[in-house]
Amino acid sequence: MSYYRRIRDLREDNDYTQSFVAAYLNMKQPQYCRYEKGFRDIPTDILISLSKLYNTSTDYILGLTDKKEKY
Amino acid sequence: MSYYRRIRDLREDNDYTQSFVAAYLNMKQPQYCRYEKGFRDIPTDILISLSKLYNTSTDYILGLTDKKEKY
């Protein structure tokens, strides 16, 4: 697992709080926070949900591309 | 977590054995097999490694796009 800074950057760029994103993901804020800090790997279903929330690709979230736009 | 059929299809399309892909990922075949069968969620680092092996996107592996080609 790795630390994916982009999930924090995407959240801040959208002016979302951790609590807001956590609620969207049906979890508590401390649990979501662990993904942002890289303490826990991001499960694939969460990765998919985040890509939908931010209208970006999972490749962008994982740092495989610098293109924020979807296909 | 979900069952991602595409990691099996990609492997078969490339005529790779499970043992070959497992070795590429530095794991034993039974462990890799659990990802293909959906018994274990695919960790992000494995997802990234597989997208590189098959020269495709993580979005394709996760079923978010039907375009096999990278960006």
Side-chain angles (χ1 to χ4, degrees):
Chain A
M1 64 164 291
S2 308
Y3 164 58
Y4 299 112
R5 181 176 173 93
R6 279 189 173 157
I7 65 166
R8 181 173 143 190
D9 289 343
L10 283 164
R11 179 178 60 73
E12 291 180 345
D13 290 349
N14 284 273
D15 288 323
Y16 292 154
T17 61
Q18 287 193 343
S19 300
F20 175 86
V21 179
Y24 166 82
L25 296 170
N26 289 310
M27 60 179 67
K28 304 279 185 195
Q29 180 270 334
Q31 188 186 345
Y32 168 73
C33 187
R34 277 181 218 118
Y35 299 135
E36 270 199 14
K37 295 206 166 161
F39 295 160
R40 254 194 89 176
D41 193 32
I42 310 172
T44 51
D45 56 346
I46 299 296
L47 194 60
I48 291 169
S49 295
L50 289 172
S51 77
K52 288 177 179 167
L53 176 64
Y54 298 123
N55 198 32
T56 189
S57 64
T58 57
D59 294 74
Y60 180 78
I61 293 176
L62 297 174
L64 296 170
T65 178
D66 289 329
K67 272 186 65 182
K68 212 174 192 168
E69 298 76 29
K70 271 194 154 170
Y71 288 89
Chain B
M1 65 162 290
S2 308
Y3 163 58
Y4 299 112
R5 180 175 173 96
R6 278 188 174 158
I7 65 164
R8 179 172 143 191
D9 289 344
L10 282 164
R11 179 178 60 74
E12 291 180 345
D13 290 349
N14 284 273
D15 288 323
Y16 293 153
T17 61
Q18 288 192 342
S19 300
F20 175 86
V21 178
Y24 166 81
L25 296 170
N26 289 310
M27 60 179 66
K28 302 281 185 192
Q29 180 270 333
Q31 187 185 347
Y32 168 74
C33 188
R34 277 181 217 118
Y35 300 134
E36 270 199 14
K37 295 207 165 159
F39 296 159
R40 255 194 89 177
D41 194 32
I42 310 171
T44 51
D45 56 347
I46 300 295
L47 194 60
I48 291 168
S49 295
L50 289 172
S51 76
K52 289 178 179 168
L53 176 64
Y54 298 123
N55 198 31
T56 188
S57 63
T58 56
D59 292 72
Y60 180 78
I61 293 176
L62 297 174
L64 296 170
T65 179
D66 289 330
K67 272 186 64 183
K68 212 173 191 168
E69 299 75 28
K70 272 195 156 169
Y71 289 87

